[in-house]
Amino acid sequence: MSLFNLFKKKPESKPKPLYYDIVCPYCFSRFEPEQVVFRATHSREDDEDYALGEDEELNKYRERFGLDSVYDMEAVLDPRDVPPEQHVYSEHVLVGIHDRYGELTRRRLCPKCHNELPVTAGKVQSNIISIIGASQVGKSVYMTALIHTLQQTTADHFNAACMPLNAEISRKFRTNYEEPLFQRGDLLASTQKEKMQEPFIFQFVFKDEDKPPLTLVFFDVAGEGMVEQDYLGLHGQHIKNSAGILFLVDPLQIRSIRDKIRINYGDKPGEWVSQYDEPRDVVLTLFGDFIAYQEQSKTDIPTAVVLTKSDMLHSLKDEDGDYIKSNSNIFNNLIHRQQFNLSEYENIDGEIRRFIEKVDRPFKGTMDVYFKDTAYFAVSALGSNPVDQKLQTVVSPIRVDEPFIWLLYKLNYIEGRRD
């Protein structure tokens, strides 16, 4: 570290607001803490306002994701129906109410979908990380490798723990994603458009109590929907209210190198063309859905452009570096500890920017026009390319957590350093 860095004055942090807007991690609505509603902790047969019954808003949400309806739920209570002196606050945030029978409930619900909110909602900033990309880019596989890596290694390197929000999410992730990929070596099926995936919600909790937990919401939108305006409209709220975006791009989406890669892997040229949407199509759809309505028609959400299946780029490497340098660091895993390695990041970012500009200049230009804050990465969720849709080796992810760690850095959770 240079003497300049040792004595460089850190920028003054902004004063913490009394409370933060809440972004529901289930339906992605944004609202103030005073607008929450509560679930009663008891039921009464002699009071229809407290009788067990159907929660229509909750079941409407569950129906969207193909989940079974739930009945005989405790009543939903609106704080506005309760005298102010019966409101319970913590750090200027409404966290509970005493109902008309004197019972205390702290079960805060989203006013839109009636799912239960995290206990930290309103006290800390609601940070949602979105994973987006067109069909076939491997979002489900990347999400699985990322969460697995965060839980197994990355969290420990930053004195934190990565945990699912509840036992149901833990079971679904382990059964449907983690065990098939990491224990049985089975490739995950593509997410189908007609089968919307309920969000996977995890919390990145730091051991340092002065650091608020970071809520991670991974919403695995079916790729086909990312280029269809009506379908994206259902999920535009989620992307618009994100604190960071992981934008996945498959090398096989890029027309200028697709045949070159496929030929090197023994496939006939042209046979994969119709299965892939161009990366720029996704950006243009995002623009029409919400970016066009932002100031100066740009979004300032930090966006990591993640080139997936980097193991495929072995076939493009050469000494001159026309595509990828033969000694490129993208093929070598790197572990970031305590701080974000800015020197390593800048090398990778520069190399992938130049690569994308060379092979898909229209996409790179579109990103520059619509996104204010971007970074470029290359990852391999599997570590090697499957043969006939079967894994030949143990899953060994390469650099899958680097884009996420960059977002931690951009959101001021961690500091950066240069070698």
Side-chain angles (χ1 to χ4, degrees):
M1 179 181 289
S2 68
L3 286 174
F4 175 75
N5 284 332
L6 279 173
F7 294 101
K8 186 168 63 174
K9 186 178 179 181
K10 290 185 177 180
E12 293 185 8
S13 58
K14 296 179 182 178
K16 181 182 176 182
L18 293 179
Y19 60 82
Y20 294 89
D21 281 355
I22 298 172
V23 177
C24 173
Y26 292 91
C27 71
F28 316 111
S29 304
R30 181 183 291 271
F31 48 89
E32 293 187 358
E34 290 287 329
Q35 296 176 285
V36 301
V37 293
F38 290 84
R39 179 81 63 196
T41 57
H42 64 107
S43 62
R44 296 179 67 99
E45 294 182 0
D46 59 344
D47 187 339
E48 63 178 15
D49 291 337
Y50 284 76
L52 294 176
E54 179 185 359
D55 186 333
E56 292 184 3
E57 295 303 322
L58 178 61
N59 281 337
K60 199 180 300 180
Y61 166 86
R62 294 179 63 84
E63 182 182 8
R64 170 185 284 188
F65 297 102
L67 302 173
D68 293 335
S69 296
V70 289
Y71 301 97
D72 294 333
M73 297 289 293
E74 290 84 1
V76 174
L77 309 178
D78 192 326
R80 292 173 296 184
D81 297 334
V82 176
E85 59 269 21
Q86 293 177 216
H87 293 187
V88 178
Y89 287 83
S90 172
E91 300 176 34
H92 305 284
V93 174
L94 177 63
V95 296
I97 57 172
H98 292 276
D99 66 26
R100 68 176 64 156
Y101 298 99
E103 296 282 345
L104 172 65
T105 174
R106 295 180 181 270
R107 298 173 63 187
R108 290 186 299 165
L109 310 179
C110 168
K112 301 291 186 182
C113 69
H114 289 185
N115 277 290
E116 194 161 345
L117 297 168
V119 294
T120 56
K123 296 182 180 180
V124 299
Q125 203 158 359
S126 295
N127 285 325
I128 289 177
I129 308 299
S130 305
I131 298 178
I132 65 174
S135 178
Q136 302 289 326
V137 300
K139 293 186 297 298
S140 299
V141 175
Y142 176 70
M143 179 191 71
T144 304
L146 174 60
I147 296 178
H148 176 86
T149 302
L150 293 181
Q151 292 189 126
Q152 297 297 322
T153 59
T154 309
D156 189 57
H157 295 153
F158 289 91
N159 295 322
C162 183
M163 301 172 290
L165 190 62
N166 55 49
E168 180 66 12
I169 291 173
S170 178
R171 183 191 63 77
K172 284 185 177 180
F173 175 70
R174 185 175 61 252
T175 303
N176 299 334
Y177 290 82
E178 192 172 34
E179 288 179 354
L181 188 63
F182 281 89
Q183 293 186 18
R184 300 196 296 273
D186 296 335
L187 286 182
L188 304 174
S190 297
T191 304
Q192 300 301 310
K193 186 171 57 173
E194 60 271 13
K195 184 183 177 184
M196 298 184 203
Q197 177 63 64
E198 188 182 20
F200 283 96
I201 306 171
F202 291 76
Q203 283 201 314
F204 204 80
V205 183
F206 292 89
K207 295 176 183 177
D208 181 353
E209 295 181 358
D210 291 332
K211 289 185 178 182
L214 171 66
T215 301
L216 313 175
V217 181
F218 296 99
F219 193 52
D220 189 15
V221 180
E224 292 84 350
M226 292 307 302
V227 292
E228 293 185 17
Q229 196 69 39
D230 292 342
Y231 182 70
L232 184 62
L234 296 172
H235 311 291
Q237 187 86 344
H238 145 251
I239 300 170
K240 180 176 67 176
N241 286 325
S242 295
I245 295 173
L246 298 172
F247 188 167
L248 273 54
V249 176
D250 186 335
L252 296 178
Q253 286 180 273
I254 302 171
R255 189 180 302 273
S256 64
I257 63 171
R258 180 163 48 224
D259 285 345
K260 183 178 177 67
I261 293 175
R262 297 308 311 183
I263 290 170
N264 286 330
Y265 277 94
D267 293 306
K268 295 178 183 178
E271 64 178 7
W272 287 73
V273 172
S274 62
Q275 295 189 26
Y276 289 88
D277 296 307
E278 298 285 337
R280 189 174 64 159
D281 294 341
V282 177
V283 182
L284 294 174
T285 307
L286 287 174
F287 175 77
D289 188 65
F290 84 93
I291 297 177
Y293 306 103
Q294 305 301 300
E295 186 177 351
Q296 297 179 337
S297 294
K298 282 191 173 187
T299 178
D300 57 4
I301 301 173
T303 300
V305 180
V306 184
L307 196 63
T308 63
K309 306 175 185 176
S310 62
D311 48 89
M312 278 190 167
L313 300 180
H314 275 289
S315 63
L316 297 178
K317 64 184 182 182
D318 55 56
E319 295 297 333
D320 297 328
D322 286 343
Y323 288 107
I324 296 293
K325 293 179 181 178
S326 57
N327 62 347
S328 174
N329 281 341
I330 70 169
F331 304 118
N332 304 316
N333 198 32
L334 177 76
I335 296 176
H336 297 262
R337 298 179 188 272
Q338 303 303 323
Q339 296 172 313
F340 185 51
N341 188 324
L342 293 171
S343 301
E344 185 72 20
Y345 149 67
E346 287 164 358
N347 288 335
I348 296 293
D349 174 69
E351 183 171 8
I352 301 304
R353 280 181 189 270
R354 290 188 294 272
F355 174 74
I356 294 292
E357 190 160 37
K358 184 177 183 64
V359 300
D360 196 345
R361 184 167 292 178
F363 168 62
K364 173 67 165 51
T366 306
M367 289 298 300
D368 292 343
V369 168
Y370 293 147
F371 291 79
K372 292 181 181 179
D373 192 359
T374 57
Y376 287 74
F377 301 89
V379 306
S380 174
L382 303 176
S384 61
N385 191 48
V387 177
D388 295 328
Q389 297 298 300
K390 293 182 180 179
L391 296 174
Q392 305 300 302
T393 59
V394 176
V395 177
S396 301
I398 298 173
R399 293 183 175 267
V400 292
D401 60 349
E402 199 164 42
F404 170 80
I405 297 172
W406 175 74
L407 289 174
L408 281 184
Y409 168 70
K410 295 299 294 185
L411 296 173
N412 297 315
Y413 278 88
I414 62 174
E415 294 183 346
R417 66 172 174 83
R418 285 186 169 82
D419 291 338

